[in-house]
Amino acid sequence: MSRTSPKFPKDAGVSVPYRLVPAAVFTTSLIATCALWRLHWEPLAGRNWIAFLAAACGLGITALLTLMTWNVCRRSHEVAQARQRMTLALAAGGTGIWSMDPTTHKIELDERAAAICGLPANQPIDRQHFERHIAPQDRERFEALLASRIDRADARELEIEYRIISGQDEPERWVAARGYVGLDAGQPRQLYGTIREISGRKRAEQKLADSQLRLSGLIEQANDAIISVDAKQRITMFNHGAETLFGYQPDEIIGQRLDTLIPVSLRSAHHKHIEQFGIGQQPARRMGERGEICGLRKDGTEFPADASIARLDLPTGPVFTAIVRDITDRRRHEEKLEARVAERTEALEAEIHSREQAQAALVRSQRMDALGQLTGGIAHDSNNLLTVITGNLELIEDELPGHPVLKYLHEAQEAAKMGARLNQRLLTFSRRRKLAPQIIHLNDNVIAMSELLRRTLGETITLTTLLAHDLWTTRADASEIENAILNLAINARDAMPNGGDLRIETTNAIIEEDVAKLEEGFSPGEYVQLSVSDSGHGMPPEVVRRAFEPFFTTKGVDRGTGLGLSTIYGFVKQTGGHVSIYSEVGRGTVVNVYLPRETADGVPKPDISQTRSLNAGRGETILVVEDNPQVRALTLERLSRLGYRTLAAENGPAALSVLQANSDIDLLFSDVVMPGGLSGFELAHKVRELKPGLRVLLTSGFDEDAARSGERGDDEWNVLRKPYSLADLAQHLRASLDSA
């Protein structure tokens, strides 16, 4: 039987003491076997086979014990070495080890874990005592996580970051714990894991978060649009300035292609530019280097813009950030400057053109003077012929009393009288007649001109006359009056090329001082008013301001001399009267001629003060709606003098606000034509719906038919014609307030 020692595997990691253990076991077993042989089995030496078998068994048992001892020792040594390596690795990483019994809730910490938590090492610690070292704001979260892992068999891992209580002057400390739940028959047997301090990482993360927050705040507060896109031109950042500029919310645009913000016509050029910019060496482009671009808003509108672009090369690909600025205001300012230069250039050209026009007007005036001289000579000779004709007709009439041919003779005499009247107008046109002021009834002149006007105006224009039955008399040259009516009618006809309505109206007008102040050169007093209104295309304010200038005309070169209104203005001013024009584009024109009232015939003047007292207010509240500040101030002053309380508004929407805020308004007094989106008629309809019992009185510079043009259901409203006297205002207000 061999007595050799067992061979152990060579292991550089096994130390010498570790090899001596199995050797000692083998030697001891061998000695014990020999001793047994001598003491118990030596008498059996004569029987060699029994001795050999006993020796073999002894040696086998010795070898088995030796091998088992060697394996146990080797594995214990490996475990010790692995634990030593793990301990060193954990120590290098600043990581401690903890364990917890889920039944007793006792927690044990190694030295490093205890140092991190500030607790005693290698001693069981009660769970409640351990949790008192956790910051209060994290304690509930820690308890919930731990309870969920103990109660649920399928949740075996846990990971949590929390704060631990530090000293008052110490900085905030964070730790990260990781663990694993060991199970026994499906039930938690033990919890064990690691813990390490992460305060440095948390502070770095907080600094990074603060930096990102500040950067995000700066980006969000920027007035310009800041947009980032990735390598595939997908939008990844869209600040508040971009929301305002483009009209998109971030959730609508993030992830969309940048093409969404670029007009279709410019997308191809934009793609080429981005491609060149992406492969170029320049990492950024400042505003203005490429010139202006164009952006597309959500509502489809385009706007001019300028942009700066920066490229950041990341491992995942280039990222582009653009700062876009709307330059609409700058473009508008530049256009204004260009327009101002163009305007000055145009003004210079206009001055040159005006001089050329003045020269041409002088030539036309000389031509008109020559035509006037010719017309006067023809009229003079024609009158001589008519004198012969009418005289002979009278002689023939005396010679043929009762003859049937007399009816033809009378027609010839009427034709001769019409020819004489025509000659009178020709002489007036040629200004060969000396002015002969006389007391006239203006209604008679209008009636006498009606037949001629109807023939002159044509069939497409409807002529309407509205003559006051108690019209005062005036002193003027009848021929000039008729010439003025004719000129105004012709001007109205030219303003209505497709036909329309012409209205001639006469009325008595009392112009008080406060009304006269609204127009230059207008004196207070009593006048006979002649109004000629049309429904033509109207005139803009700049044309109205120059309407009475000599030689100023908006007609073609061969259609007018520009002397019609200026001649009327001169004649009326020479008579002591006044002329005013009220016109709006698209609505028509009203020309008012005021001739002084003639009182030499003994007609008594009305007692205005008595009229005021009869129609005075009784403390009612009136809301005045007028867009002209001068007229509004005058109206408020008049109403105050009449004894009314007043409120004011400059347009229809403002009037509705005043009506809703005041419940004691008795009457609405509103102009018909106003800005703000509501006419006087529309405002009256809305007031009727809101406050059915409120009285309404309207006023307009147009006659009632023109003011109501295009309206529906407006005949129910009372309209006071501008300009009106204080007596007329008082009378209409009283009538409206006292109506049932």
Side-chain angles (χ1 to χ4, degrees), residues 58-279:
L59 291 175
I61 294 173
T62 299
L64 179 61
L65 290 174
T66 301
L67 181 61
M68 291 175 63
T69 303
W70 179 82
N71 283 330
V72 169
C73 292
R74 181 178 62 83
R75 290 188 179 183
S76 298
H77 183 69
E78 289 177 352
V79 169
Q81 281 195 328
R83 183 167 185 172
Q84 184 179 13
R85 287 194 296 270
M86 182 185 70
T87 302
L88 293 174
L90 292 175
T95 304
I97 300 174
W98 61 269
S99 64
M100 188 186 92
D101 189 333
T103 304
T104 62
H105 292 275
K106 296 295 183 178
I107 298 176
E108 186 173 350
L109 306 173
D110 70 352
E111 294 180 357
R112 194 166 292 102
I116 292 174
C117 298
L119 294 171
N122 300 319
Q123 295 182 14
I125 302 172
D126 185 77
R127 174 179 165 184
Q128 294 181 351
H129 178 66
F130 178 83
E131 291 179 353
R132 281 198 293 269
H133 287 74
I134 300 175
Q137 57 267 39
D138 297 332
R139 193 172 297 162
E140 182 177 354
R141 181 164 55 89
F142 179 86
E143 293 175 351
L145 177 64
L146 196 59
S148 66
R149 295 304 183 267
I150 295 175
D151 295 339
R152 291 176 54 192
D154 59 338
R156 304 187 64 184
E157 295 182 358
L158 61 87
E159 182 176 357
I160 187 172
E161 295 178 355
Y162 59 90
R163 284 158 286 192
I164 60 177
I165 298 177
S166 303
Q168 186 175 4
D169 297 332
E170 295 182 7
E172 185 178 60
R173 296 176 60 203
W174 280 83
V175 297
R178 295 177 61 90
Y180 189 81
V181 181
L183 300 180
D184 184 7
Q187 295 300 320
R189 179 175 56 84
Q190 187 179 20
L191 280 74
Y192 49 89
T194 62
I195 185 171
R196 60 190 179 91
E197 185 171 356
I198 57 171
S199 300
R201 193 196 78 188
K202 280 294 183 178
R203 284 193 289 270
E205 290 177 353
Q206 185 62 41
K207 289 181 180 179
L208 179 60
D210 293 342
S211 176
Q212 291 177 341
L213 183 61
R214 288 193 296 271
L215 178 60
S216 176
L218 291 174
I219 292 175
E220 285 301 315
Q221 293 300 321
N223 293 327
D224 294 333
I226 302 178
I227 305 169
S228 290
V229 296
D230 58 15
K232 295 183 179 180
Q233 296 295 296
R234 292 190 300 262
I235 297 173
T236 58
M237 183 179 68
F238 202 75
N239 75 332
H240 181 70
E243 297 177 37
T244 304
L245 182 59
F246 290 95
Y248 288 96
Q249 295 297 319
D251 56 355
E252 296 179 291
I253 198 68
I254 296 295
Q256 300 294 324
R257 289 185 58 82
L258 188 61
D259 288 353
T260 308
L261 308 179
I262 301 174
V264 177
S265 59
L266 302 178
R267 290 177 184 174
S268 177
H270 170 75
H271 293 163
K272 293 180 181 178
H273 172 70
I274 291 296
E275 182 179 354
Q276 296 173 357
F277 188 76
I279 63 177

Side-chain angles (χ1 to χ4, degrees), residues 86 153 160 189 257 274 277 282 324 345 362 390 416 468 594 665:
M86 182 185 70
I160 187 172
R189 179 175 56 84
R257 289 185 58 82
I274 291 296
F277 188 76
Q282 185 180 10
V324 183
T345 304
L362 178 60
T390 55
Y594 299 91
I665 297 175

Side-chain angles (χ1 to χ4, degrees), residues 516-551:
K517 290 180 181 178
L518 297 177
E519 295 195 31
E520 184 179 358
F522 202 1
S523 301
E526 298 174 338
Y527 295 89
V528 177
Q529 180 179 344
L530 171 69
S531 299
V532 179
S533 58
D534 63 69
S535 59
H537 49 65
M539 295 181 289
E542 60 272 15
V543 175
V544 173
R545 286 193 293 267
R546 301 187 59 192
F548 294 126
E549 294 181 9
F551 305 114

Side-chain angles (χ1 to χ4, degrees), residues 454 457-462:
R454 285 189 173 88
L457 297 174
E459 298 179 356
T460 60
I461 296 177
T462 302

Side-chain angles (χ1 to χ4, degrees), residues 357-384:
Q357 282 187 324
Q359 182 66 27
L362 178 60
V363 173
R364 290 198 301 271
S365 177
Q366 293 173 347
R367 186 166 62 247
M368 292 300 294
D369 286 342
L371 180 59
Q373 293 177 3
L374 176 62
T375 302
I378 294 174
H380 181 269
D381 293 340
S382 178
N383 277 335
N384 290 335

Side-chain angles (χ1 to χ4, degrees), residues 294-320:
C294 191
L296 179 65
R297 293 189 176 91
K298 181 180 179 180
D299 59 6
T301 59
E302 299 180 6
F303 63 93
D306 203 351
S308 62
I309 302 176
R311 185 188 72 217
L312 180 62
D313 295 322
L314 298 177
T316 57
V319 176
F320 301 91

Side-chain angles (χ1 to χ4, degrees), residues 15 18 23 47 81 165 179 217 254 276 325 335 346 372 398 445 475 562 606 614 624 646 708 722:
S15 60
Y18 163 71
R47 300 177 182 176
Q81 281 195 328
I165 298 177
I254 296 295
Q276 296 173 357
R325 179 176 300 166
E335 291 176 352
E346 185 179 355
D398 292 338
N445 299 85
R475 181 179 293 275
L614 291 175
V624 178
T646 58
R708 290 173 178 169
K722 290 182 179 179

